[in-house]
Amino acid sequence: MADAAEPAPAQHPPVRDIDPYAEASGALPTYRWRQAPKGLATRRQLRAMRLRPGGQEPVAEIECRGGKRRAWLYEIDKALPVRPMTLAKELALDKAMAARQTCPQCERRYYHCLPLQRFGSCLECHDGTPADPHSYVKPRPTITPSQPCESGLTAA
């Protein structure tokens, strides 16, 4: 009879994992420009902090320009540091930029990207517009073999 006098242990509801940012419909919450809560940032803001999303899913979105543009928002606490630039990656990026900055006719490498799709060359080669001498690097002189070396080989 002592068992009947003791109260039964309280039954707790099962634990549920709740996302505080999710709406009932499952869509991400949308915030207006400069209205997002602290602790959230866009990819560009994370990059300015030298962070990256690190595989996390966006938790919200922000709408800009009256709803014409949207950007994902990520949690800053879950962001990871940006991976360091390796020498191989830096060389690959430099090679890609050289293709966009080098005129195929005069072979000058400019400090800005050229309109190669539109004109096929720099403006000076296209229509004679003079380029500022400080806006490009002079091409390397090409060595032409004039005399064979003593060993009989020619300079390459």
Side-chain angles (χ1 to χ4, degrees):
M1 205 113 148
D3 292 336
E6 291 180 18
Q11 295 291 329
H12 296 289
V15 178
R16 293 188 314 164
D17 186 19
I18 299 174
D19 185 1
Y21 300 110
E23 293 180 359
S25 66
L28 293 176
T30 303
Y31 297 102
R32 296 184 66 198
W33 178 250
R34 296 182 183 261
Q35 299 297 318
K38 292 188 177 186
L40 300 181
T42 63
R43 281 181 176 269
R44 284 190 177 195
Q45 292 168 337
L46 288 175
R47 184 64 183 197
M49 293 183 261
R50 310 220 10 107
L51 298 172
R52 60 186 170 95
Q56 66 172 307
E57 296 293 322
V59 295
E61 67 180 356
I62 190 165
E63 68 177 20
C64 310
R65 301 188 184 237
K68 293 180 182 177
R69 293 196 177 187
R70 296 179 183 270
W72 300 118
L73 293 172
Y74 300 92
E75 292 185 65
I76 297 173
D77 296 337
K78 293 182 181 178
L80 300 176
V82 175
R83 293 184 185 113
M85 179 73 72
T86 63
L87 183 60
K89 189 185 288 187
E90 188 174 353
L91 288 174
L93 288 173
D94 184 57
K95 185 178 178 182
M97 287 305 294
R100 297 178 68 194
Q101 295 173 338
T102 304
C103 176
Q105 293 179 9
C106 64
E107 297 182 356
R108 293 178 184 161
R109 181 168 179 183
Y110 287 81
Y111 295 117
H112 58 275
C113 294
L114 298 175
L116 296 177
Q117 288 184 347
R118 183 179 295 165
F119 300 130
S121 63
C122 65
L123 292 178
E124 189 167 351
C125 293
H126 175 71
D127 61 4
T129 304
D132 180 15
H134 301 290
S135 67
Y136 62 86
V137 179
K138 294 179 183 175
R140 292 183 178 176
T142 55
I143 301 172
T144 57
S146 58
Q147 294 284 338
C149 297
E150 293 176 7
S151 63
L153 299 174
T154 57

